[in-house]
Amino acid sequence: NAGVTQTPKFQVLKTGQSMTLQCAQDMNHNSMYWYRQDPGMGLRLIYYSASEGTTDKGEVPNGYNVSRLNKREFSLRLESAAPSQTSVYFCASAIYNSPLHFGNGTRLTVT
Amino acid sequence: QKEVEQDPGPLSVPEGAIVSLNCTYSNSAFQYFMWYRQYSRKGPELLMYTYSSGNKEDGRFTAQVDKSSKYISLFIRDSQPSDSATYLCAMSGSYGSSNTGKLIFGQGTTLQVKP
């Protein structure tokens, strides 16, 4: 029972490089989310997808794009990475009226 | 001012102690309150979930919500070294399908339980 799987686990980028963080869930959940976690800031919502085919901005969407590829997969793209995007990124999923299930995160460093 | 405030700690207690973790919030629209536990280098996992004011107990864990004071607490009885983790409070104003998961988190409190 894999739950929410995130790849890669670690990544180092140079300023200006691009990359895509991948997330897949096998629980048949309809909603998926991307959060970032920074020291002293808790978790902040970047983007979410309430259902397949829809995406919406969260609290901190600038510098990111997302794609809900299908019901299982929700990717987060950094087009031109900046040092301020150094963070731990968590993907989560949920079904109607159920709590979030989180993946184990991608640790991203932008130099 | 953050919508949700949580003392980051760290908090260190001896095994067997009662632990009290707290969050305050400013948005009176919050109705759903959660506590997540996060072990080092892992994702948060849901520990407790409550709706509106009141208490909820699950084993050694008790969650309390006081909406009049905009204050929530998590109590851990007979704390164990395995309880050593970061505890995050989270809350939201609604729990419909499109709002599920749009949570506001506290900063997290790091707890260490010493044997």
Side-chain angles (χ1 to χ4, degrees):
Chain A
N1 185 10
V4 178
T5 302
Q6 292 184 236
T7 56
K9 289 184 171 54
F10 302 93
Q11 184 71 49
V12 179
L13 292 178
K14 294 187 189 305
T15 298
Q17 287 184 318
S18 62
M19 79 161 294
T20 299
L21 282 65
Q22 307 286 354
C23 175
Q25 51 91 9
D26 63 1
M27 297 173 284
N28 202 33
H29 286 172
N30 56 292
S31 303
M32 297 186 74
Y33 307 82
W34 278 105
Y35 282 85
R36 60 178 287 174
Q37 186 175 32
D38 303 291
M41 300 294 291
L43 281 92
R44 291 179 293 167
L45 182 64
I46 305 171
Y47 270 94
Y48 69 101
S49 171
S51 60
E52 188 178 352
T54 68
T55 60
D56 282 290
K57 294 177 181 179
E59 182 185 353
V60 288
N62 291 345
Y64 305 96
N65 285 300
V66 290
S67 295
R68 183 74 182 267
L69 304 170
N70 48 55
K71 191 171 186 179
R72 290 186 63 248
E73 297 172 289
F74 187 39
S75 63
L76 179 72
R77 182 160 178 84
L78 287 70
E79 291 290 352
S80 179
S84 61
Q85 294 177 305
T86 293
S87 188
V88 183
Y89 291 86
F90 288 100
C91 177
S93 69
I95 201 164
Y96 295 120
N97 297 329
S98 75
L100 296 184
H101 291 257
F102 283 88
N104 282 325
T106 294
R107 283 154 183 80
L108 175 67
T109 301
V110 182
T111 61
Chain B
Q1 185 185 0
K2 295 188 173 94
E3 276 191 287
V4 178
E5 296 279 359
Q6 184 177 5
D7 186 341
L11 183 60
S12 181
V13 301
E15 183 175 354
I18 296 174
V19 176
S20 172
L21 304 168
N22 311 294
C23 289
T24 59
Y25 63 95
S26 57
N27 189 341
S28 57
F30 289 147
Q31 296 190 73
Y32 297 88
F33 304 91
M34 284 139 275
W35 285 95
Y36 281 83
R37 178 175 61 194
Q38 185 176 23
Y39 290 114
S40 181
R41 298 197 172 272
K42 296 291 187 182
E45 56 178 339
L46 183 73
L47 199 57
M48 299 284 284
Y49 160 58
T50 54
Y51 169 69
S52 196
S53 286
N55 294 357
K56 184 173 184 179
E57 188 173 320
D58 184 1
R60 296 184 295 110
F61 299 90
T62 300
Q64 286 186 351
V65 174
D66 181 348
K67 289 189 71 180
S68 62
S69 301
K70 297 190 180 65
Y71 189 86
I72 70 171
S73 300
L74 177 71
F75 296 96
I76 307 174
R77 291 183 299 281
D78 188 26
S79 56
Q80 303 295 309
S82 59
D83 295 326
S84 298
T86 296
Y87 291 80
L88 299 147
C89 64
M91 46 199 81
S92 73
S94 59
Y95 219 58
S97 60
S98 63
N99 287 312
T100 300
K102 287 175 69 178
L103 303 177
I104 306 298
F105 282 85
Q107 300 95 311
T109 299
T110 299
L111 171 67
Q112 183 182 25
V113 180
K114 294 183 175 179

